[in-house]
Amino acid sequence: MALQPHYNLVSRETYEGPLLETAEQAGLAAVPYYGLASGFLTGKYRPGADVDSARAAGAGKHLDTERGRAVLSALDAVAGAHGAEPATVALAWLASRPTVVAPIASARTVEQLPALVASADLELTEEELTLLTEASAIRD
């Protein structure tokens, strides 16, 4: 059996807590959807950037939060250290989380696929995982 929670670097509230604890106790796997937060975690949403996408309003809302900006900064740092795309790093972080067996991320074009596929081979250090986890921490 598996759970399919909404879970990513900027949406951790719905899974972390009682649902994650139950999954761990019951030995359930998680296959989170919106792994890239409707495209926000690809890095294309930046202050002042105009993104032509049906998802722009939903994804762009994260730019207005301290958490969203902190996550982009951390993604940029880790992606730069690996010569990787922010999307690759975001999915590698998600895959490293307890109970997660496979993040769900969708590509609208063939050109978007390499960054998604590369996440399977990207090994993040403990320091990088901590940086991303702290940048995306749930804030009250």
Side-chain angles (χ1 to χ4, degrees):
M1 292 186 61
L3 300 173
Q4 192 176 16
H6 177 179
Y7 188 38
N8 58 57
L9 275 165
V10 290
S11 299
R12 294 174 54 186
E13 299 82 359
T14 57
Y15 188 58
E16 293 181 2
L19 188 56
L20 172 58
E21 292 167 13
T22 300
E24 289 178 320
Q25 291 168 0
L28 298 174
V31 185
Y33 67 93
Y34 286 142
L36 294 175
S38 298
F40 178 73
L41 299 173
T42 64
K44 66 182 172 185
Y45 294 90
R46 302 292 178 157
D50 185 26
V51 178
D52 183 23
S53 170
R55 301 179 186 124
K61 71 180 180 197
H62 298 295
L63 283 175
D64 297 332
T65 68
E66 176 188 345
R67 181 190 207 177
R69 292 185 302 273
V71 165
L72 284 182
S73 178
L75 280 174
D76 287 344
V78 176
H82 288 276
E85 297 293 325
T88 304
V89 174
L91 292 174
W93 175 88
L94 191 53
S96 78
R97 305 305 291 167
T99 74
V100 173
V101 295
I104 297 173
S106 59
R108 290 184 301 112
T109 67
V110 172
E111 292 77 23
Q112 294 171 340
L113 284 175
L116 307 185
V117 173
S119 68
D121 296 324
L122 180 61
E123 292 189 34
L124 301 175
T125 67
E126 285 301 317
E127 293 80 16
E128 291 167 335
L129 291 169
T130 298
L131 175 68
L132 292 162
T133 302
E134 289 177 356
S136 66
I138 300 167
R139 292 165 170 79
D140 295 330

